Amino acid sequence: MRGRNWIAVLVSLLLLAAAGGVAIMVNRSALSAADTVHRTDSTELGTNNATLTGQLQLLSAQELAQVLADHPLSLAEGDASDHVLLVLAASKSSTFQYGMMLTDLDGNVLNASRAAGLPTVDNAGWAPMRKQFAAGAQVGFSSVMTVDNIPLAAVAVPILVGGNAAGFLIGLNQVAITSLQKYTAQLASGNHRTDVVDSSGTVAASSVPDLIGGRAEAPIVARLGVAGTRFVEYKSGSTDMVAIVVGGLPSGYSYVRTQTKSEFYGAVHRRSQTVTITLLAMLLIGVVGISVLGYRTQIQRRRADERFQALFQHAPDIVTVINTEGRMIFTSPSSAAILGFEHGMLTGQSVFELVHPDDQPAMRERLQSILADPAGVLRLQCRVRAATGHYRWFDFTASNQMANPALNGVVINARDISENRAFQERLAHEAQHDPLTGLPNRRRMQDALSSSLRRDPVAVLFVDLDGFKPVNDEYGHEAGDELLRQVAERLSGCIRAGDVLSRVGGDEFVVLMPGVLGPADVQAMANRVRMVVEMPFRIAGRHITIGASVGVHLAGPAEDPDSALRAADHAMYEIKRAGGGRGRSRVTDRIGRHRAPARE
């Protein structure tokens, strides 16, 4: 009997050892999958944020390009008109309020909006910008330069004369108060730090504002200037750190997200170690007896489940396991907080029932491709229906774990990116619309004109306000801006469905009428435009009356868009010279000579 007991104990120990070994392997496999998903997700998040950072920097360069497009410059050293333009442009700028300057090709200052506080020509911060222009870039970005204890950064665009660069228009921003810094501050978190670092290792923006102008850690600086995403592990004192460095921004800067190694890998590793130690303890407990061993096993399993639930209860992502048919066999408790569904309510349902109908074909195709690859990992962005019925944008990272006995399915990690998508769409809208009136800008109008002329004739109406400058001079720019907004509102109300109204600069508007074949409809539209503009406006408690000069050109299909726009502009100036819109209007079918906008 005693021998049988020993045999039973030995068999129990062997079975327990085998079970413990399998459990440890499964735990390590699950940990490896979680690490893979986490690193992939962190890489994508860093790439997305770096892309937004680069877009913000390029938008600042577009502002300089618009200044050159709207105003000619003499480039004569100390020219008074250039100085007035620089002062006015800097005062209106949302990015370069610190100042603007003109330089020759060697960097010597020709003119500037301010007399002092400018970086010297030999400042080392100019080197990256000069290198970019030498490589043929159309936009240049400097490193952070400290002047009078103020960290500054410069953005430059070349000034072309006869197709060749004759100098540079440079905008200076105070990096501590830029839109890039405001965006970076929004990424502040208690467990990580976000920085934007220039190519020399100086911090240009940070979620910890006190670090602006300082130096990034040496291991991070060593990885700057290389395109792509890299994980940098190093020590800060006695603390192990992990940094995600995303290089290759158009400016040569890098996006850096830094946190401690323990925070990066998080509770998953700590829980994994706890489970491993617990399993080893269970092996030792088996010596005492099978009954005690069984009891302790049940307790440990229950505690492991409780730890698993606690781990995912407050996670910012939704973790779901689906089978080959797309049905959810597990959904983390965080789905209740993020989507509003009660825990367990989604189990057994098809994941495609929650996906927006327009996104379902792509998701089905991608699911089939990952099922065909035993080690497949994919990323996908789609809209998911919440319990309220509204759709929200999610970033999906899916990993094929069909061969993993602990999961036996496809593991999906879903993160809500609705706010990031909204921010990207807002950036795209602002890049193509006039900020004062909300109308499409010149770029948007030219795209619409090019698209329409591929298939249809288009009537182009070039509208210039008569008497707008005296309103600005007498009542101020705020009154002038309000007048432009009211003009835009009136013009929007008198165009046809399908027509395009845009503000192309100053007090000039363009109306596109696709599909118009004859001058009668165009003349009627021109008359309506003049009529609504000549009606009195209520501005600053006063009634103000202005007029409009309307130049029209009927462009045939396949006509050059720039030529059509120049013809309408030329027709408008002929009317302007004849006494303005109240004198006459004219419809022309010939291409006119382009002239710079004039002011009354």
Side-chain angles (χ1 to χ4, degrees), residues 371-393:
L371 287 173
D373 183 0
V377 176
L378 67 82
R379 299 194 64 84
L380 177 69
Q381 291 186 359
C382 65
R383 289 159 287 183
V384 176
R385 176 173 54 82
T388 59
H390 296 89
Y391 285 91
R392 303 171 67 178
W393 279 98

Side-chain angles (χ1 to χ4, degrees), residues 416-481:
D416 189 345
I417 59 169
S418 300
E419 293 183 1
N420 280 349
R421 290 282 301 208
F423 183 74
Q424 291 175 346
E425 292 170 359
R426 180 163 60 85
L427 285 179
H429 181 273
E430 291 175 355
Q432 298 190 20
H433 289 78
D434 173 44
L436 177 64
T437 62
L439 296 176
N441 57 19
R442 177 182 291 272
R443 174 184 175 185
R444 178 72 172 175
M445 179 273 296
Q446 289 176 328
D447 290 343
L449 179 59
S450 298
S451 177
S452 298
L453 284 176
R454 293 192 185 103
R455 58 185 184 278
D456 297 317
V458 179
V460 182
L461 286 75
F462 205 107
V463 182
D464 184 272
L465 302 183
D466 299 332
F468 174 76
K469 186 175 184 298
V471 175
N472 257 347
D473 295 341
E474 184 174 353
Y475 302 112
H477 290 291
E478 291 184 1
D481 290 346

Side-chain angles (χ1 to χ4, degrees), residues 543-597:
H543 287 288
I544 294 176
T545 302
I546 61 173
S549 297
V550 183
V552 179
H553 175 69
L554 298 177
E559 183 173 339
D560 180 66
D562 291 335
S563 298
L565 192 61
R566 286 196 299 271
D569 180 45
H570 180 72
M572 181 273 292
Y573 274 103
E574 289 185 356
I575 295 170
K576 199 85 167 176
R577 285 193 296 270
R582 297 185 180 183
R584 64 192 178 102
S585 64
R586 178 179 179 185
V587 179
T588 178
D589 58 357
R590 64 183 178 83
I591 298 176
R593 180 170 57 88
H594 177 71
R595 295 179 53 182

Side-chain angles (χ1 to χ4, degrees), residues 290-439:
I290 189 63
S291 58
V292 177
L293 178 63
Y295 175 77
R296 291 294 301 273
T297 301
Q298 294 298 322
I299 294 297
Q300 293 299 329
R301 287 178 179 175
R302 184 168 66 250
R303 289 179 179 175
D305 289 339
E306 291 173 354
R307 284 193 295 269
F308 181 83
Q309 293 296 328
L311 179 63
F312 287 97
Q313 183 69 46
H314 304 291
D317 299 348
I318 298 175
V319 179
T320 302
V321 182
I322 64 175
N323 60 18
T324 56
E325 299 175 355
R327 296 197 175 275
M328 291 175 277
I329 58 180
F330 169 79
T331 301
S332 63
S334 56
S335 62
I338 298 175
L339 292 177
F341 294 102
E342 294 183 5
H343 180 51
M345 183 177 177
L346 298 177
T347 302
Q349 295 190 29
S350 173
V351 71
F352 300 110
E353 295 176 1
L354 301 179
V355 176
H356 193 281
D358 294 343
D359 299 333
Q360 288 186 20
M363 188 169 184
R364 291 182 184 274
E365 179 181 356
R366 301 294 294 276
L367 178 61
Q368 292 301 318
S369 66
I370 194 175
L371 287 173
D373 183 0
V377 176
L378 67 82
R379 299 194 64 84
L380 177 69
Q381 291 186 359
C382 65
R383 289 159 287 183
V384 176
R385 176 173 54 82
T388 59
H390 296 89
Y391 285 91
R392 303 171 67 178
W393 279 98
F394 277 80
D395 184 271
F396 279 27
T397 300
S399 172
N400 187 343
Q401 297 296 317
M402 298 298 297
N404 189 329
L407 299 172
N408 193 28
V410 175
V411 178
I412 297 177
N413 185 287
R415 171 164 293 184
D416 189 345
I417 59 169
S418 300
E419 293 183 1
N420 280 349
R421 290 282 301 208
F423 183 74
Q424 291 175 346
E425 292 170 359
R426 180 163 60 85
L427 285 179
H429 181 273
E430 291 175 355
Q432 298 190 20
H433 289 78
D434 173 44
L436 177 64
T437 62
L439 296 176

